[in-house]
Amino acid sequence: MEVRIETIEAILVDLPTIRAHQLAMAVMQRQTLVIVRLRCSDGIEGLGEATTIGGLAYGEESPEGIKLAIDTYLAPALAGQDATNVRAALARLDQVARGNRFAKSALETALLDAQGKRLGVPVATLVGGAVRTRLPVLWTLASGDTARDIDEAEALLQARRHNTFKLKIGRREIAADVAHVARIKQALGERARVTVDVNQAWNEADAAGAIARLEAAGVDLIEQPIPRANLAGMARLAARFVVPIMADEAVCTPEDALDIARLGAADVLALKIAKSGGILEMTRTAAVGDAAGMALYGGTMLEGSIGSIASAHGFAALPRLGWGTELFGPLLLKDDIVANPPRYDDFALQLPAGPGLGLTLDEDKLEFYRRDGAPGPR
Ligand code: MUC
Ligand code: MG
């Protein structure tokens, strides 16, 4: 029996964060998820999510733009297509739209979720099989206040939820940022790993000075210290310091990974399904990095449960994942739109075992938080 894609709905969902989350380019008080519901002729529905950070401040696609691209171009291109052939559906999307990787990632997830439900297997099985079902997860300290960050880290260590902490810096003067990081590392000592993410905020000369001090303070990893376009500068920093340099904004596609490998522009690659255009493309990017001897890290766009668990299925199937993941998005959000939120314990995220993503929508919550829903208290 042929199974066709019937309808695709893209829904903007606004969820509050548990506290302000400060990054170099934006302060988040809420997160906007773009949720995709893809319905097929056999009655099966697939879920997907495209989420970015700070509207257009971080990436090149905004939540509203992602919805527009899906509604206007991508959903019509998929209507009537074979729902069981994910690669063919993705090829069709590439025919009608260049780029738009976040939107394509959400659609790919929804197709894989539907196909997994149809076959009774998890998404990780569809992409080759999980080599791990527990994924180490770090937590980002980004309240903007050093003492509060230390308290937060202590509580999470105590609860055995996280033992690696990523500090978002690049918003303030370098001296203030370095002092902030050094105080946190000193307070946590050998009990936790501390990494920093600069989100491209420094120039190369400033980065060289700052990294020397961060390295001396015991920081374990430096993420995207300078603009993504300055790969030569990243290569010079990677050669100069022992502390590993991680590429995030600089690596979206397999071709980016190849350029980074050729130049030696990073020691570690941050992978994300959204910036890659889906799990399958993320896996290709990972393969290039892996072949070049770079370590891999499972990154987040601070997605909710659907996007985070989709990422988890993809990362679970990578042969090597030396730096673990940062799939903590659902924990940063005050509420959830799935009925069975992801489980975190013993410093790891548990991969759901059910078919597809292994998630069930909470229709009432979705109704409550969707932007176009009935007006009411939020
Ligand atoms: C980024 O650039 O890595 C991931 C964790 C976090 O707090 O922000 C993001 C984005
Ligand atoms: Mg980053």
Side-chain angles (χ1 to χ4, degrees), residues 21 53 58 140 166 168 197 199 223 248 272 300 326:
H21 197 68
I53 293 170
Y58 186 104
T140 297
K166 160 161 153 173
K168 303 296 285 194
D197 188 359
N199 283 118
E223 181 173 344
D248 180 5
K272 299 181 183 178
T300 182
E326 56 178 18

Side-chain angles (χ1 to χ4, degrees), residues 296-348:
L296 304 176
Y297 172 79
T300 182
M301 287 304 295
L302 301 176
E303 290 102 334
S305 291
I306 296 170
S308 298
I309 291 299
S311 305
H313 281 281
F315 298 148
L318 294 178
R320 276 166 292 282
L321 190 65
W323 276 88
T325 81
E326 56 178 18
L327 294 176
F328 64 86
L331 299 168
L332 186 66
L333 302 175
K334 255 196 191 140
D335 208 346
D336 211 321
I337 55 160
V338 301
N340 52 343
R343 282 184 31 219
Y344 295 85
D345 56 50
D346 239 2
F347 311 114

Side-chain angles (χ1 to χ4, degrees), residues 68-341:
L68 179 113
I70 294 174
D71 290 349
T72 315
Y73 299 101
L74 304 178
L78 288 186
Q81 299 295 309
D82 180 355
T84 68
N85 190 335
V86 179
R87 291 257 187 210
L90 295 173
R92 179 144 178 91
L93 291 182
D94 285 339
Q95 267 170 7
V96 301
R98 288 178 195 273
N100 288 271
R101 290 191 293 266
F102 285 62
K104 288 175 182 172
S105 173
L107 291 165
E108 184 206 75
T109 297
L111 284 161
L112 289 169
D113 183 35
Q115 183 66 358
K117 288 171 177 162
R118 192 170 289 123
L119 299 178
V121 298
V123 167
T125 302
L126 294 179
V127 296
V131 295
R132 58 188 75 77
T133 54
R134 293 175 53 76
L135 298 159
V137 177
L138 63 65
W139 178 253
T140 297
L141 299 171
S143 74
D145 180 271
T146 312
R148 184 169 171 186
D149 283 356
I150 292 172
D151 289 348
E152 204 172 287
E154 289 289 2
L156 293 167
L157 269 171
Q158 179 72 29
R160 296 184 64 78
R161 214 182 70 186
H162 307 279
N163 56 9
T164 301
F165 298 97
K166 160 161 153 173
L167 314 191
K168 303 296 285 194
I169 57 174
R171 225 183 143 66
R172 296 180 292 187
E173 294 286 307
I174 287 182
D177 270 344
V178 170
H180 166 77
V181 176
R183 264 187 68 196
I184 294 177
K185 179 61 195 170
Q186 201 181 12
L188 302 178
E190 293 308 306
R191 293 176 297 139
R193 287 208 289 193
V194 169
T195 72
V196 299
D197 188 359
V198 191
N199 283 118
Q200 319 184 69
W202 295 335
N203 64 42
E204 187 183 342
D206 286 348
I211 295 170
R213 287 146 75 191
L214 292 169
E215 193 175 60
V219 165
D220 292 283
L221 180 78
I222 313 282
E223 181 173 344
Q224 200 64 56
I226 61 174
R228 52 183 284 191
N230 189 3
L231 290 187
M234 284 176 63
R236 285 186 288 269
L237 294 172
R240 182 163 174 173
F241 295 103
V242 173
V243 59
I245 305 291
M246 180 157 81
D248 180 5
E249 287 89 331
V251 59
C252 298
T253 64
E255 293 78 10
D256 293 338
L258 201 52
D259 285 342
I260 290 172
R262 279 199 194 105
L263 288 166
D267 306 291
V268 187
L269 294 184
L271 306 164
K272 299 181 183 178
I273 65 170
K275 67 180 180 179
S276 286
I279 295 174
L280 296 171
E281 278 298 295
M282 177 282 288
T283 303
R284 291 182 69 222
T285 306
V288 175
D290 203 11
M294 287 184 272
L296 304 176
Y297 172 79
T300 182
M301 287 304 295
L302 301 176
E303 290 102 334
S305 291
I306 296 170
S308 298
I309 291 299
S311 305
H313 281 281
F315 298 148
L318 294 178
R320 276 166 292 282
L321 190 65
W323 276 88
T325 81
E326 56 178 18
L327 294 176
F328 64 86
L331 299 168
L332 186 66
L333 302 175
K334 255 196 191 140
D335 208 346
D336 211 321
I337 55 160
V338 301
N340 52 343

